[in-house]
PDB file of all heavy atoms in Angstrom:
ATOM      1  N   ILE E  72      -3.622  -1.070  10.234  1.00 99.00           N
ATOM      2  CA  ILE E  72      -3.614  -0.616   8.835  1.00 99.00           C
ATOM      3  C   ILE E  72      -5.025  -0.594   8.300  1.00 99.00           C
ATOM      4  O   ILE E  72      -5.947  -1.122   8.916  1.00 99.00           O
ATOM      5  CB  ILE E  72      -2.761  -1.604   7.972  1.00 99.00           C
ATOM      6  CG1 ILE E  72      -3.371  -2.965   7.957  1.00 99.00           C
ATOM      7  CG2 ILE E  72      -1.305  -1.660   8.477  1.00 99.00           C
ATOM      8  CD1 ILE E  72      -2.659  -3.968   7.007  1.00 99.00           C
ATOM      9  N   VAL E  73      -5.211   0.080   7.193  1.00 99.00           N
ATOM     10  CA  VAL E  73      -6.512   0.061   6.514  1.00 99.00           C
ATOM     11  C   VAL E  73      -6.307  -0.615   5.141  1.00 99.00           C
ATOM     12  O   VAL E  73      -5.477  -0.182   4.372  1.00 99.00           O
ATOM     13  CB  VAL E  73      -7.102   1.475   6.366  1.00 99.00           C
ATOM     14  CG1 VAL E  73      -8.380   1.449   5.585  1.00 99.00           C
ATOM     15  CG2 VAL E  73      -7.347   2.105   7.763  1.00 99.00           C
ATOM     16  N   ALA E  74      -7.041  -1.691   4.956  1.00 99.00           N
ATOM     17  CA  ALA E  74      -6.983  -2.451   3.671  1.00 99.00           C
ATOM     18  C   ALA E  74      -8.209  -2.040   2.822  1.00 99.00           C
ATOM     19  O   ALA E  74      -9.321  -1.995   3.311  1.00 99.00           O
ATOM     20  CB  ALA E  74      -7.034  -3.938   3.935  1.00 99.00           C
ATOM     21  N   ILE E  75      -7.917  -1.721   1.564  1.00 99.00           N
ATOM     22  CA  ILE E  75      -8.933  -1.155   0.677  1.00 99.00           C
ATOM     23  C   ILE E  75      -8.860  -1.936  -0.620  1.00 99.00           C
ATOM     24  O   ILE E  75      -7.740  -2.178  -1.162  1.00 99.00           O
ATOM     25  CB  ILE E  75      -8.677   0.319   0.399  1.00 99.00           C
ATOM     26  CG1 ILE E  75      -8.737   1.165   1.683  1.00 99.00           C
ATOM     27  CG2 ILE E  75      -9.608   0.849  -0.668  1.00 99.00           C
ATOM     28  CD1 ILE E  75      -8.124   2.516   1.557  1.00 99.00           C
ATOM     29  N   VAL E  76      -9.976  -2.308  -1.161  1.00 99.00           N
ATOM     30  CA  VAL E  76     -10.039  -2.738  -2.576  1.00 99.00           C
ATOM     31  C   VAL E  76     -10.679  -1.597  -3.354  1.00 99.00           C
ATOM     32  O   VAL E  76     -11.807  -1.173  -3.047  1.00 99.00           O
ATOM     33  CB  VAL E  76     -10.856  -4.015  -2.775  1.00 99.00           C
ATOM     34  CG1 VAL E  76     -10.929  -4.413  -4.222  1.00 99.00           C
ATOM     35  CG2 VAL E  76     -10.255  -5.182  -1.933  1.00 99.00           C
ATOM     36  N   ALA E  77      -9.926  -1.077  -4.292  1.00 99.00           N
ATOM     37  CA  ALA E  77     -10.451   0.001  -5.152  1.00 99.00           C
ATOM     38  C   ALA E  77     -10.668  -0.565  -6.516  1.00 99.00           C
ATOM     39  O   ALA E  77      -9.957  -1.458  -7.012  1.00 99.00           O
ATOM     40  CB  ALA E  77      -9.460   1.172  -5.182  1.00 99.00           C
ATOM     41  N   GLU E  78     -11.653   0.021  -7.233  1.00 98.00           N
ATOM     42  CA  GLU E  78     -12.079  -0.501  -8.502  1.00 98.00           C
ATOM     43  C   GLU E  78     -12.133   0.620  -9.535  1.00 98.00           C
ATOM     44  O   GLU E  78     -12.493   1.741  -9.199  1.00 98.00           O
ATOM     45  CB  GLU E  78     -13.479  -1.105  -8.340  1.00 98.00           C
ATOM     46  CG  GLU E  78     -14.002  -1.850  -9.565  1.00 98.00           C
ATOM     47  CD  GLU E  78     -15.371  -2.476  -9.292  1.00 98.00           C
ATOM     48  OE1 GLU E  78     -16.364  -1.753  -9.168  1.00 98.00           O
ATOM     49  OE2 GLU E  78     -15.416  -3.728  -9.183  1.00 98.00           O
ATOM     50  N   GLY E  79     -11.789   0.271 -10.777  1.00 98.00           N
ATOM     51  CA  GLY E  79     -11.932   1.261 -11.834  1.00 98.00           C
ATOM     52  C   GLY E  79     -11.101   0.819 -13.039  1.00 98.00           C
ATOM     53  O   GLY E  79     -10.326  -0.111 -12.934  1.00 98.00           O
ATOM     54  N   ASN E  80     -11.288   1.436 -14.151  1.00 98.00           N
ATOM     55  CA  ASN E  80     -10.538   1.125 -15.337  1.00 98.00           C
ATOM     56  C   ASN E  80      -9.047   1.510 -15.040  1.00 98.00           C
ATOM     57  O   ASN E  80      -8.780   2.624 -14.704  1.00 98.00           O
ATOM     58  CB  ASN E  80     -11.047   1.893 -16.551  1.00 98.00           C
ATOM     59  CG  ASN E  80     -12.367   1.297 -17.036  1.00 98.00           C
ATOM     60  OD1 ASN E  80     -12.410   0.150 -17.414  1.00 98.00           O
ATOM     61  ND2 ASN E  80     -13.422   2.071 -16.942  1.00 98.00           N
ATOM     62  N   ARG E  81      -8.188   0.541 -15.240  1.00 98.00           N
ATOM     63  CA  ARG E  81      -6.738   0.706 -15.080  1.00 98.00           C
ATOM     64  C   ARG E  81      -6.355   1.246 -13.704  1.00 98.00           C
ATOM     65  O   ARG E  81      -5.353   1.973 -13.544  1.00 98.00           O
ATOM     66  CB  ARG E  81      -6.183   1.635 -16.199  1.00 98.00           C
ATOM     67  CG  ARG E  81      -6.403   1.000 -17.564  1.00 98.00           C
ATOM     68  CD  ARG E  81      -5.960   1.969 -18.674  1.00 98.00           C
ATOM     69  NE  ARG E  81      -4.465   2.126 -18.676  1.00 98.00           N
ATOM     70  CZ  ARG E  81      -3.860   3.084 -19.338  1.00 98.00           C
ATOM     71  NH1 ARG E  81      -4.542   3.973 -20.021  1.00 98.00           N
ATOM     72  NH2 ARG E  81      -2.564   3.163 -19.305  1.00 98.00           N
ATOM     73  N   VAL E  82      -7.126   0.840 -12.675  1.00 98.00           N
ATOM     74  CA  VAL E  82      -6.833   1.292 -11.330  1.00 98.00           C
ATOM     75  C   VAL E  82      -5.517   0.853 -10.779  1.00 98.00           C
ATOM     76  O   VAL E  82      -4.905   1.494  -9.932  1.00 98.00           O
ATOM     77  CB  VAL E  82      -8.018   0.932 -10.346  1.00 98.00           C
ATOM     78  CG1 VAL E  82      -8.103  -0.571 -10.126  1.00 98.00           C
ATOM     79  CG2 VAL E  82      -7.868   1.647  -9.014  1.00 98.00           C
ATOM     80  N   ILE E  83      -5.025  -0.304 -11.262  1.00 98.00           N
ATOM     81  CA  ILE E  83      -3.772  -0.843 -10.739  1.00 98.00           C
ATOM     82  C   ILE E  83      -2.639   0.136 -11.036  1.00 98.00           C
ATOM     83  O   ILE E  83      -1.896   0.618 -10.166  1.00 98.00           O
ATOM     84  CB  ILE E  83      -3.466  -2.236 -11.289  1.00 98.00           C
ATOM     85  CG1 ILE E  83      -4.566  -3.220 -10.823  1.00 98.00           C
ATOM     86  CG2 ILE E  83      -2.073  -2.724 -10.904  1.00 98.00           C
ATOM     87  CD1 ILE E  83      -4.531  -4.587 -11.529  1.00 98.00           C
ATOM     88  N   GLU E  84      -2.528   0.481 -12.333  1.00 98.00           N
ATOM     89  CA  GLU E  84      -1.492   1.459 -12.756  1.00 98.00           C
ATOM     90  C   GLU E  84      -1.820   2.849 -12.198  1.00 98.00           C
ATOM     91  O   GLU E  84      -0.926   3.588 -11.741  1.00 98.00           O
ATOM     92  CB  GLU E  84      -1.486   1.494 -14.299  1.00 98.00           C
ATOM     93  CG  GLU E  84      -0.471   2.461 -14.881  1.00 98.00           C
ATOM     94  CD  GLU E  84      -0.584   2.543 -16.403  1.00 98.00           C
ATOM     95  OE1 GLU E  84      -1.472   1.913 -17.003  1.00 98.00           O
ATOM     96  OE2 GLU E  84       0.228   3.235 -16.976  1.00 98.00           O
ATOM     97  N   GLY E  85      -3.106   3.184 -12.222  1.00 98.00           N
ATOM     98  CA  GLY E  85      -3.493   4.547 -11.814  1.00 98.00           C
ATOM     99  C   GLY E  85      -3.185   4.758 -10.330  1.00 98.00           C
ATOM    100  O   GLY E  85      -2.707   5.901  -9.977  1.00 98.00           O
ATOM    101  N   PHE E  86      -3.434   3.804  -9.447  1.00 99.00           N
ATOM    102  CA  PHE E  86      -3.093   4.045  -8.033  1.00 99.00           C
ATOM    103  C   PHE E  86      -1.617   4.112  -7.832  1.00 99.00           C
ATOM    104  O   PHE E  86      -1.155   4.897  -7.014  1.00 99.00           O
ATOM    105  CB  PHE E  86      -3.764   3.039  -7.094  1.00 99.00           C
ATOM    106  CG  PHE E  86      -3.380   3.358  -5.661  1.00 99.00           C
ATOM    107  CD1 PHE E  86      -3.959   4.444  -5.042  1.00 99.00           C
ATOM    108  CD2 PHE E  86      -2.314   2.705  -5.041  1.00 99.00           C
ATOM    109  CE1 PHE E  86      -3.546   4.844  -3.763  1.00 99.00           C
ATOM    110  CE2 PHE E  86      -1.946   3.062  -3.758  1.00 99.00           C
ATOM    111  CZ  PHE E  86      -2.545   4.128  -3.115  1.00 99.00           C
ATOM    112  N   ARG E  87      -0.852   3.305  -8.577  1.00 99.00           N
ATOM    113  CA  ARG E  87       0.650   3.390  -8.385  1.00 99.00           C
ATOM    114  C   ARG E  87       1.127   4.785  -8.800  1.00 99.00           C
ATOM    115  O   ARG E  87       2.043   5.317  -8.178  1.00 99.00           O
ATOM    116  CB  ARG E  87       1.305   2.338  -9.317  1.00 99.00           C
ATOM    117  CG  ARG E  87       0.986   0.884  -8.960  1.00 99.00           C
ATOM    118  CD  ARG E  87       1.822   0.283  -7.915  1.00 99.00           C
ATOM    119  NE  ARG E  87       3.242   0.213  -8.244  1.00 99.00           N
ATOM    120  CZ  ARG E  87       4.128  -0.354  -7.453  1.00 99.00           C
ATOM    121  NH1 ARG E  87       3.760  -0.881  -6.268  1.00 99.00           N
ATOM    122  NH2 ARG E  87       5.410  -0.378  -7.778  1.00 99.00           N
ATOM    123  N   LYS E  88       0.473   5.420  -9.776  1.00 98.00           N
ATOM    124  CA  LYS E  88       0.848   6.783 -10.153  1.00 98.00           C
ATOM    125  C   LYS E  88       0.444   7.763  -9.045  1.00 98.00           C
ATOM    126  O   LYS E  88       1.194   8.699  -8.687  1.00 98.00           O
ATOM    127  CB  LYS E  88       0.181   7.192 -11.467  1.00 98.00           C
ATOM    128  CG  LYS E  88       0.650   6.423 -12.682  1.00 98.00           C
ATOM    129  CD  LYS E  88       2.109   6.664 -12.970  1.00 98.00           C
ATOM    130  CE  LYS E  88       2.369   7.980 -13.723  1.00 98.00           C
ATOM    131  NZ  LYS E  88       3.796   8.038 -14.133  1.00 98.00           N
ATOM    132  N   LEU E  89      -0.744   7.554  -8.456  1.00 99.00           N
ATOM    133  CA  LEU E  89      -1.175   8.416  -7.336  1.00 99.00           C
ATOM    134  C   LEU E  89      -0.243   8.267  -6.165  1.00 99.00           C
ATOM    135  O   LEU E  89       0.000   9.271  -5.456  1.00 99.00           O
ATOM    136  CB  LEU E  89      -2.597   8.021  -6.865  1.00 99.00           C
ATOM    137  CG  LEU E  89      -3.829   8.403  -7.650  1.00 99.00           C
ATOM    138  CD1 LEU E  89      -5.081   8.028  -6.809  1.00 99.00           C
ATOM    139  CD2 LEU E  89      -3.856   9.937  -7.913  1.00 99.00           C
ATOM    140  N   ALA E  90       0.231   7.068  -5.927  1.00 99.00           N
ATOM    141  CA  ALA E  90       1.114   6.810  -4.765  1.00 99.00           C
ATOM    142  C   ALA E  90       2.504   7.416  -4.962  1.00 99.00           C
ATOM    143  O   ALA E  90       3.053   7.960  -4.005  1.00 99.00           O
ATOM    144  CB  ALA E  90       1.297   5.271  -4.496  1.00 99.00           C
ATOM    145  N   GLY E  91       3.036   7.371  -6.103  1.00 99.00           N
ATOM    146  CA  GLY E  91       4.401   7.885  -6.386  1.00 99.00           C
ATOM    147  C   GLY E  91       5.465   6.865  -6.145  1.00 99.00           C
ATOM    148  O   GLY E  91       5.193   5.743  -5.716  1.00 99.00           O
ATOM    149  N   ALA E  92       6.685   7.254  -6.323  1.00 98.00           N
ATOM    150  CA  ALA E  92       7.831   6.361  -6.237  1.00 98.00           C
ATOM    151  C   ALA E  92       7.985   5.790  -4.811  1.00 98.00           C
ATOM    152  O   ALA E  92       7.551   6.438  -3.818  1.00 98.00           O
ATOM    153  CB  ALA E  92       9.071   7.036  -6.644  1.00 98.00           C
ATOM    154  N   THR E  93       8.583   4.613  -4.721  1.00 98.00           N
ATOM    155  CA  THR E  93       8.760   3.929  -3.430  1.00 98.00           C
ATOM    156  C   THR E  93       9.504   4.791  -2.453  1.00 98.00           C
ATOM    157  O   THR E  93       9.140   4.889  -1.241  1.00 98.00           O
ATOM    158  CB  THR E  93       9.550   2.635  -3.648  1.00 98.00           C
ATOM    159  OG1 THR E  93       8.880   1.844  -4.629  1.00 98.00           O
ATOM    160  CG2 THR E  93       9.702   1.860  -2.356  1.00 98.00           C
TER     161      THR E  93
END
Side-chain angles (χ1 to χ4, degrees):
I72 62 174
V73 176
I75 298 164
V76 178
E78 186 177 72
N80 287 297
R81 299 177 67 195
V82 66
I83 296 169
E84 181 185 4
F86 180 75
R87 297 274 298 184
K88 294 297 280 186
L89 282 187
T93 305

